[in-house]
Amino acid sequence: MKTAKIYQYQLPMDSGVILREQRLQQRDGLVIELSDGTHCGKGEISPLPEFSQETLEQAREDLLSLTQAWLNDEELDLDANCPSVAFGFSMALLELENGLPQEGNYQAAPLCSGDPDDLVVKLNEMSGKKIAKIKVGLYEPIRDGMVVNMFLELIPDLSLRLDANRNWTSKKAEQFANYVNPEFRSRIEFLEEPCHTPEESLAFSQATGIAIAWDETVRDDGFEITAQDGVKAIVIKPTMIGSVDKCLSLVEDAHKLGMQAVISSSLESSLALTQLARLAAWKTPETIPGLDTIDLFKMQLDTPWPNCELPMNELSELTLIWEN
């Protein structure tokens, strides 16, 4: 017998978390729990403020409709729903069918979100391949270039992933590149979306030799993966893209062209974050995912992230807003 429950959560965030120009003091989301009488599957629906196309209220209405259709054994077209609902519901279905392997890739690329000295310490303690991520485009491009150059000079075996979120004009992107030693540029694994438009980003890569990755562009209407000079990777954020099947199709298309596909978080709780780590281990085993966001929370949800000492908020403690 099919049953379903929908919970709502609120998790406190670190006071330093800023999305674009908004300080995020708490993370709000939903959890769907599906059961067939024998097995259970969970999924998280948490649109990211300032980035997702849908609000939490819109996602809740969408989720209620989709859940009722599933209970009625109607044919589902998950990607006709908003992305966060399509992702969370498809993940719950995947767990319900025991289709998501248990092993996860928890070797997240550390995110420099505070004091650069802290990242140097963390990287020096890392074993194996050293990859870190730095947000650029928030300050002057010359400063960003100097910071990136400093890390690459201090740690000779370091590779960096950079993310500019389309913040730079072509001129500012050029200013950034001018402060990165040409000998170090090959150790920038990729720079996500340096310029306002994909065309400007492609021109930047070809002029500087710095590889780029598509992130926002992956979510643009009509996006198709093609081989382009300078494009080394795509960043897949399932909460903002859609169902697991849609995400895995992107992974497969990227791999066919010899590009990296990086499974990345959209500030999900530990529940979805651990699922993303399992998805990454399963489908992108050679690539370190972009999941170093658990430390931005003050509390975990339902499923513990390995070696994380944050207190746990159990599913039973959440507000149950619907069941059938």
Side-chain angles (χ1 to χ4, degrees):
M1 177 183 174
K2 287 183 173 180
T3 61
K5 296 179 180 180
I6 299 175
Y7 301 87
Q8 185 159 339
Y9 75 75
Q10 293 181 330
L11 297 177
M13 303 293 293
D14 184 277
S15 59
V17 179
I18 298 176
L19 298 179
R20 292 188 174 153
E21 296 181 0
Q22 175 184 340
R23 189 175 298 278
L24 191 66
Q25 295 181 322
Q26 69 180 30
R27 192 74 169 97
D28 297 285
L30 305 164
V31 176
I32 178 71
E33 184 179 50
L34 304 177
S35 174
D36 61 7
T38 304
H39 301 100
C40 177
K42 301 170 189 173
E44 177 178 337
I45 296 91
S46 50
L48 186 61
E50 301 286 325
F51 288 88
S52 289
Q53 64 186 35
E54 70 275 13
T55 66
L56 184 62
E57 291 73 23
Q58 290 168 331
R60 181 166 49 240
E61 293 303 312
D62 205 21
L63 178 61
L64 286 167
S65 177
L66 178 59
T67 304
Q68 192 62 63
W70 178 77
L71 289 168
N72 293 339
D73 292 321
E74 297 175 22
E75 186 173 346
L76 305 181
D77 179 8
L78 293 180
D79 286 310
N81 297 277
C82 56
S84 61
V85 172
F87 166 61
F89 203 91
S90 64
M91 189 60 80
L93 288 175
L94 191 62
E95 280 202 340
L96 186 65
E97 297 158 2
N98 201 28
L100 183 65
Q102 288 298 319
E103 183 181 355
N105 184 350
Y106 299 103
Q107 187 186 356
L111 176 65
C112 182
S113 56
D115 187 343
D117 290 341
D118 293 340
L119 182 59
V120 171
V121 172
K122 187 182 289 189
L123 288 169
N124 281 327
E125 293 172 350
M126 281 180 70
S127 58
K129 189 176 182 181
K130 289 183 170 62
I131 295 179
K133 181 171 181 176
I134 298 177
K135 289 279 190 181
V136 294
L138 300 175
Y139 306 101
E140 286 301 311
I142 293 172
R143 175 194 181 277
D144 286 333
M146 293 173 68
V147 168
V148 166
N149 205 70
M150 176 196 72
F151 278 119
L152 293 172
E153 187 171 11
L154 282 175
I155 309 173
D157 55 346
L158 173 67
S159 295
L160 286 178
R161 295 174 179 174
L162 310 177
D163 186 3
N165 289 121
R166 293 181 171 178
N167 278 328
W168 286 330
T169 62
S170 295
K171 183 177 180 179
K172 286 190 174 183
E174 180 185 353
Q175 289 174 336
F176 162 81
N178 286 340
Y179 277 81
V180 178
N181 187 330
E183 294 180 8
F184 295 163
R185 292 179 185 178
S186 63
R187 287 165 51 207
I188 297 175
E189 190 174 39
F190 52 74
L191 167 53
E192 298 173 32
E193 307 270 0
C195 302
H196 295 331
T197 69
E199 293 76 18
E200 290 173 318
S201 293
L202 285 169
F204 163 83
S205 178
Q206 289 156 14
T208 62
I210 295 174
I212 62 173
W214 297 138
D215 179 2
E216 288 90 345
T217 297
V218 177
R219 307 192 293 274
D220 286 346
D221 290 340
F223 172 77
E224 292 183 4
I225 299 175
T226 57
Q228 296 170 294
D229 288 344
V231 181
K232 186 175 180 180
I234 62 168
V235 176
I236 297 174
K237 295 178 175 174
T239 285
M240 290 191 275
I241 288 177
S243 69
V244 172
D245 282 348
K246 184 175 183 179
C247 294
L248 295 187
S249 178
L250 288 168
V251 170
E252 185 177 334
D253 290 345
H255 287 172
K256 284 179 181 176
L257 294 173
M259 296 166 60
Q260 285 192 69
V262 182
I263 304 293
S264 187
S265 74
S266 304
L267 284 185
E268 296 89 355
S269 77
S270 60
L271 169 59
L273 205 62
T274 54
Q275 291 175 327
L276 290 174
R278 292 158 65 191
L279 192 68
W282 179 29
K283 292 296 183 178
T284 60
E286 304 301 319
T287 299
I288 295 175
L291 304 177
D292 187 39
T293 53
I294 192 65
D295 288 341
L296 302 179
F297 287 80
K298 291 184 177 179
M299 184 170 286
Q300 300 187 77
L301 176 64
D302 182 72
T303 310
W305 183 262
N307 302 315
C308 179
E309 297 180 357
L310 291 174
M312 179 66 67
N313 199 336
E314 303 290 347
L315 211 60
S316 60
E317 301 176 73
L318 302 184
T319 301
L320 178 63
I321 63 171
W322 190 88
E323 67 176 318
N324 194 318

